[in-house]
């Protein structure tokens, strides 16, 4: 079977650092999302609400859905997704946060590397 006849899987890694200047707005939006989830069992809902009230990272996790990143991308179907959130110490001037250093040079597919002039 040729590549064009079979499905191909690609792992997309996204690493975001978000500032939360309005934690009450974030928490409120997450609580609204939880309340509107008609399929969430009551016991899970209580646990989710408590977690969201205690931790902005948990609130964010209830509002971010990886499917939203690719929902409008033609020819793509989400096969699997996982995500997590955690509070971090962030210093934009630190070398630790320089994303260009860790990733190395950008990799291009064949279409990008073999262009005709």
């Amino acid at each position: 079977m040729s590549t064009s006849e079979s499905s191909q899987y690609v792992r997309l890694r996204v690493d975001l650092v978000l500032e939360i200047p309005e934690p009450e707005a974030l928490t409120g939006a997450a609580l609204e999302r939880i309340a509107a989830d008609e399929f969430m069992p009551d016991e899970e809902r209580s646990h989710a609400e408590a977690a969201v009230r205690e931790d902005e990272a948990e609130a964010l996790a209830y509002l971010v859905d990886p499917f939203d990143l690719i929902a409008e991308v033609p020819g793509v179907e989400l096969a699997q997704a996982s995500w997590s959130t955690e509070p971090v110490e962030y210093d934009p001037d630190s070398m630790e946060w320089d994303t260009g250093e860790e990733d190395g040079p950008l990799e291009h597919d064949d279409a990008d590397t073999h262009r005709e002039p």
Side-chain angles (χ1 to χ4, degrees):
M1 186 178 331
S2 73
T3 303
S4 63
E5 295 172 344
S6 66
S7 294
Q8 295 183 2
Y9 294 91
V10 174
R11 182 181 307 267
L12 170 65
R13 294 180 195 254
V14 178
D15 191 19
L16 304 169
V17 176
L18 306 173
E19 181 179 5
I20 304 173
E22 298 181 46
E24 298 83 13
L26 175 66
T27 299
L31 290 171
E32 288 176 14
R33 169 79 56 95
I34 292 167
D37 187 344
E38 61 188 51
F39 299 109
M40 186 180 291
D42 289 338
E43 184 176 312
E44 184 179 338
R45 185 181 319 277
S46 296
H47 174 73
E49 289 170 343
V52 162
R53 285 187 179 102
E54 292 176 20
D55 185 357
E56 286 88 12
E58 287 289 332
L60 188 60
Y62 276 95
L63 293 171
V64 174
D65 185 347
F67 178 75
D68 294 340
L69 294 173
I70 58 95
E72 300 297 321
V73 177
V76 174
E77 291 183 27
L78 182 63
Q80 179 181 351
S82 66
W83 66 105
S84 64
T85 57
E86 62 185 345
V88 295
E89 295 293 325
Y90 177 64
D91 177 4
D93 297 326
S94 170
M95 290 301 288
E96 176 184 356
W97 295 99
D98 185 2
T99 58
E101 293 293 323
E102 290 180 13
D103 296 338
L106 292 176
E107 295 180 17
H108 300 283
D109 63 17
D110 289 341
D112 287 340
T113 57
H114 298 291
R115 289 189 206 166
E116 295 291 323

